[in-house]
Amino acid sequence: MSKRTFTLILVGIFLVALGAIAVMRWPTIAGWLELSPPEFTAEIPGDRPRRIDKKLLNRFEGQSIEAILETLTAEKVVIPPPQKSRNAILLAKLPDAPLPYGEEAEARDGEGLKSFILGVQQDTENKPTEEDLFRFNLALAAMKIPSSQVPAPLRIKTQPALESETFPVRLNPTALDQSGPIAVGNFDGKPGLELVSDGGSKISSISNDGTLVPGNAWPLTTPADKIVEADFDGDGDLDAFLIRGGGLPNSLLENVGSGGMKDVTIEKGLLAFSDTSAAAWLDYDGDGLLDLLVGNHDHPLELYHQTSGGAFQPVAWDLKWWVHKGIKTIETADFTGDGLPDVYLGLEGRADQLCVTKPGETWEDWRFEDVSVESDLETGKSAGIPLFIDFDNDGALDLVIAKGEAGPDKHRVAVFRNIGNARFRNVTEDSGVSVTVPVTSMTNADIDGDGFEDLIVGTETLQTNRLFWNQVGSGFREVSAVSGGAFLDSPEKMVSTDLDDNGMIDLLVANEDGTIRRLEATDAAPAWISLHLSRPAPGARVELQVRDRDWIVHPITRQLDSHSRITIGVGNADVIESIEFFAPGEKESFQKLEKVAPNQHLEVEIKEQPRKRPVVPLSSGE
C-alpha cells in the first residue's frame, strides 16, 4: 500500500467519524453555528416548522427551569417601568370609592388634589380639552365641591345618577393587601378557597370576614404574569400553568397534595422561550385528558396534546391550525353543544378567529374551522376580549366581545346570541349593553341570584367600570352606579366566585396598578345552591329545574369549568325539582338529584367518566 493510498484511507475514516459525530450532535452544532431562526408568514409551512427558540433550547439543555430563569433574569436588560399616565396619577389621589362619591368618600391625597385643581385654574395659556375638564371636575367632586359652584364653561358632569330603584344588590368593597396577578381555587384540598397572588409568590385562604390567612407559597424563582389553573393530571386537585412574557419560559406546576407544587415543565415537554400572552386548558379531542393551548406575540399558536403518559406534544401544525404570531387573547367553550371545546382567538393586526372543533376519524383529521365571517364577528385590527355567557338561559352559550376600537355604531362591546349551527346573531342594539370607552376585561356572574348571569365590564383608568343587570334573558340594564360597582380603576382580571360560602357571589378584581379589591354582593335573592364537586369536570354541564312560588318550573344551565365548586342563584325558588349532570356532549345525565332544598352546600360525588376514544400518541418531533 502506497503512502498516498494510506493517507487517503485515514482521511476517509476521519471524515466518516466526523460525519457520525455531526449526526449525533447536530442540535448542539446547530447551536454553535447560531442558525438564524425561521421567519413565518400567515401561510402554513409545507414541512414541520423549525423551532424559533432552538438556539436557547440547545443552550440550556439539561438545566433545571429554576436555573434557566435565574440565568435569563440576570442577563435581562432592566427596563424602567413606564411613566404613569396623567389618569393613573390622578386616580392615586382620588377616593378609593365608586362613583357617585358619597359623603364617606375621602380623597387619598387631598393636598395633591388641591395642587392639581390650582394648576388647571392657573393654566391660562392652554385651552383645556374635554378630557382635561373631566379630570378637573372629578377632582372637585372628590374634594366635595358642588358642581353648582363650578363656572359653567368648565363644568362637566362626572357623577352618574343612580340607574334603578329596584336593583337590590350592593357591592361591598374590601381592599386586599395583595398584588396581582391572581388566581382563585381550591389548591390545598381543604374546605374553602385560596387566593393566589403576586404571580404565585403568595397564597392565602380567605376567612368569612375577608381576612387573609397566609399559606405555603409556591416554589418560584420568577413570578408569573398570568396564572391559568386546571386539574390537568386528573387527580382531583388544581394544578397551574404560569405564563411569563418577554421570552422567559413558562412553568407547569403539578399539585403534589395539600397545595404543594412541583415544577414539571421540562419533563412534560413544555419548555419554550417565547413572549407568551395567553393560554387555555381544553380537552380538544374528547379523550378525557386536558390539553394546553398557548398563544404568543412572537411565536406560532401551539396546541399541546396530552398523551396517556402525561407528556405534552405539539400538534397545531399537524392539525393544520396555523396562526403564525400575534395571539393576544384565548377563550374556550363548547358553544356548539357537541361536547368538544371551541376557541376564540383575539389577534393583533388582523381579524379575530372563532374556531369550531371539527372531529375526524383519526387524530390527523381533526380541524378547527374559523366561522367568524359567517357570524359577522369582525373585530377590526386589534384583538378583541371575548366572553362566553348563556345570558338567556336556553342552554346554548352566547358571546360578548369587547372590541379593540369603536365601530361605526360607536359600541366597544358587541353582544351575539347563539342561534345554533355554530352561528351567532349580533343583538347589540337590542341588548341594552352600551359601552363606548376602551375595555380592559370582562366577566359574568349572577350578582342578584335570580338565575340569570349578569355582565361586568372593566374599563380603562378613570372610566367607570360597568355592571349590566340581566333582565331574565331579554336583555340587560345598566346598574353600575346603584350597585356600587362604578370604580375608576382599570381591571386586568376579574374572578367571580362565592369566596365565603354564603350563597352570594363575590368579585375579585385585580387592577392594572397591582391592587386587588374584593366586591361582596349583599342583599341578593335568598335562594341558592352551592355544589361542591369531588373532582373538577371541565366541559360537563349541570341543569337545574327550579320551581318558584307560583309553581312554575324554570330551567337553569351552567357549563362547568376547571373548578370543583359552583354557586348558582335560584331566585325565590322553594324547591329545586332536579339537578342533573351531563358529560360533555351527552344527552343522558350521569347523575341526577331530585327534590333538593335550596340554601345549602351540597357535596356531589363526580365519578370519572369513560374516555370516548383511545389516545393516539404522536411521534416526537422538533
Side-chain angles (χ1 to χ4, degrees):
M1 182 183 297
S2 65
K3 182 176 181 181
R4 181 173 180 275
T5 301
F6 181 73
T7 302
L8 290 174
I9 291 174
L10 288 179
V11 171
I13 293 173
F14 174 76
L15 291 175
V16 169
L18 186 63
I21 293 173
V23 169
M24 291 185 294
R25 299 297 296 170
W26 171 245
T28 302
I29 294 173
W32 293 339
L33 295 176
E34 298 188 359
L35 295 177
S36 299
E39 294 184 7
F40 297 124
T41 65
E43 183 178 353
I44 184 171
D47 298 320
R48 177 177 291 277
R50 183 161 53 92
R51 291 279 297 259
I52 295 178
D53 57 353
K54 192 65 178 177
K55 179 181 175 182
L56 286 170
L57 289 171
N58 292 329
R59 175 189 174 187
F60 291 109
E61 184 179 4
Q63 295 190 33
S64 67
I65 190 73
E66 292 83 3
I68 295 171
L69 285 168
E70 287 178 356
T71 300
L72 290 179
T73 302
E75 294 177 354
K76 202 171 181 64
V77 176
V78 178
I79 301 175
Q83 291 185 340
K84 286 187 176 182
S85 66
R86 296 168 66 187
N87 286 350
I89 293 172
L90 178 58
L91 177 66
K93 305 177 190 299
L94 296 171
D96 185 17
L99 297 183
Y101 289 141
E103 287 299 321
E104 71 285 355
E106 294 293 337
R108 284 175 283 188
D109 182 1
E111 291 302 318
L113 283 180
K114 291 179 183 178
S115 298
F116 172 80
I117 294 169
L118 187 61
V120 174
Q121 291 174 327
Q122 292 179 343
D123 185 3
T124 57
E125 297 182 2
N126 300 304
K127 182 180 179 180
T129 65
E130 188 169 346
E131 187 177 4
D132 293 332
L133 292 177
F134 178 82
R135 285 193 288 259
F136 176 66
N137 281 263
L138 199 57
L140 292 174
M143 296 301 293
K144 297 183 172 54
I145 297 175
S147 60
S148 59
Q149 297 182 16
V150 182
L154 300 179
R155 189 185 308 155
I156 283 184
K157 182 180 179 181
T158 61
Q159 303 301 293
L162 302 184
E163 307 95 346
S164 170
E165 295 180 356
T166 59
F167 187 66
V169 178
R170 299 296 180 268
L171 297 175
N172 183 30
T174 304
L176 301 181
D177 187 21
Q178 303 287 321
S179 300
I182 65 170
V184 179
N186 190 344
F187 291 95
D188 62 4
K190 300 176 183 177
L193 297 173
E194 290 79 55
L195 168 64
V196 179
S197 58
D198 293 71
S201 300
K202 294 181 181 179
I203 184 167
S204 308
S205 57
I206 304 175
S207 62
N208 290 350
D209 62 359
T211 304
L212 297 178
V213 181
N216 296 324
W218 293 348
L220 298 179
T221 56
T222 305
D225 295 327
K226 297 178 183 177
I227 304 170
V228 187
E229 67 276 9
D231 179 18
F232 82 86
D233 53 6
D235 63 356
D237 51 30
L238 283 176
D239 314 293
F241 183 71
L242 308 185
I243 294 175
R244 300 185 183 92
L248 294 177
N250 306 314
S251 286
L252 177 62
L253 301 184
E254 184 174 13
N255 198 322
V256 295
S258 300
M261 292 289 191
K262 176 186 177 184
D263 195 309
V264 294
T265 310
I266 296 176
E267 66 184 78
K268 296 295 185 181
L270 290 175
L271 180 62
F273 300 87
S274 57
D275 190 4
T276 302
S277 52
W281 292 100
L282 72 169
D283 181 8
Y284 86 90
D285 55 354
D287 65 355
L289 298 172
L290 287 181
D291 312 299
L292 182 62
L293 186 62
V294 179
N296 309 287
H297 292 293
D298 58 343
H299 279 56
L301 177 75
E302 192 55 86
L303 174 63
Y304 292 97
H305 174 260
Q306 185 178 178
T307 69
S308 58
F312 289 87
Q313 295 178 331
V315 299
W317 176 83
D318 302 88
L319 303 181
K320 310 305 178 188
W321 199 9
W322 182 254
V323 183
H324 69 294
K325 65 176 181 178
I327 300 99
K328 187 174 182 180
T329 57
I330 297 176
E331 190 75 14
T332 66
D334 176 19
F335 66 79
T336 59
D338 63 355
L340 297 172
D342 310 299
V343 180
Y344 186 103
L345 299 176
L347 306 179
E348 300 167 329
R350 56 198 187 282
D352 296 349
Q353 294 184 12
L354 180 67
C355 300
V356 173
T357 302
K358 297 289 185 179
E361 293 296 326
T362 63
W363 74 265
E364 298 102 325
D365 297 327
W366 287 61
R367 292 294 181 267
F368 298 87
E369 179 185 348
D370 182 9
V371 298
S372 57
V373 175
E374 292 86 338
S375 289
D376 192 26
L377 298 185
E378 174 74 34
T379 59
K381 297 301 182 182
S382 56
I385 301 174
L387 176 69
F388 289 101
I389 168 178
D390 182 10
F391 64 77
D392 51 7
N393 264 0
D394 65 352
L397 288 172
D398 309 299
L399 178 60
V400 179
I401 304 173
K403 300 180 181 181
E405 65 280 328
D409 56 4
K410 302 302 181 184
H411 290 296
R412 288 184 183 263
V413 173
V415 182
F416 297 86
R417 186 187 299 275
N418 191 328
I419 58 176
N421 298 320
R423 298 294 182 268
F424 292 86
R425 178 182 295 121
N426 193 324
V427 295
T428 306
E429 290 296 333
D430 299 324
S431 69
V433 176
S434 178
V435 180
T436 58
V437 297
V439 175
T440 58
S441 60
M442 292 191 298
T443 193
N444 53 295
D446 183 6
I447 296 295
D448 62 334
D450 65 351
F452 290 85
E453 293 198 291
D454 310 302
L455 176 65
I456 302 99
V457 179
T459 58
E460 284 191 349
T461 305
L462 290 194
Q463 302 291 340
T464 54
N465 296 319
R466 318 291 283 277
L467 173 57
F468 293 94
W469 179 22
N470 194 326
Q471 303 293 284
V472 295
S474 64
F476 294 88
R477 180 179 178 183
E478 183 169 4
V479 289
S480 307
V482 71
S483 67
F487 284 87
L488 295 172
D489 36 27
S490 182
E492 288 187 327
K493 181 177 181 179
M494 297 185 290
V495 180
S496 61
T497 185
D498 181 8
L499 288 173
D500 47 12
D501 266 349
N502 66 352
M504 290 181 285
I505 292 297
D506 305 277
L507 291 176
L508 279 178
V509 182
N511 294 307
E512 184 182 39
D513 60 5
T515 60
I516 301 176
R517 179 181 292 109
R518 175 188 180 184
L519 297 175
E520 184 177 10
T522 59
D523 300 321
W528 50 271
I529 189 72
S530 182
L531 304 176
H532 294 203
L533 313 181
S534 61
R535 62 171 56 243
R541 71 185 189 280
V542 55
E543 294 185 3
L544 285 70
Q545 298 293 328
V546 175
R547 188 181 297 278
D548 64 20
R549 294 170 184 174
D550 295 326
W551 280 82
I552 299 175
V553 175
H554 304 276
I556 299 175
T557 302
R558 295 286 187 269
Q559 194 170 111
L560 301 178
D561 55 19
S562 298
H563 294 83
S564 58
R565 290 175 30 164
I566 181 171
T567 297
I568 303 174
V570 294
N572 294 312
D574 289 330
V575 65
I576 303 172
E577 292 289 339
S578 65
I579 304 176
E580 291 188 87
F581 295 86
F582 296 81
E586 297 296 328
K587 296 183 179 179
E588 295 292 331
S589 63
F590 63 83
Q591 193 162 351
K592 184 175 182 179
L593 308 171
E594 296 184 283
K595 300 297 182 183
V596 178
N599 301 337
Q600 63 167 313
H601 307 289
L602 200 60
E603 302 290 335
V604 182
E605 181 67 26
I606 300 293
K607 297 180 180 179
E608 186 173 0
Q609 298 300 304
R611 295 176 182 172
K612 293 183 179 180
R613 66 183 187 86
V615 178
V616 182
L618 306 179
S619 60
S620 60
E622 297 297 321

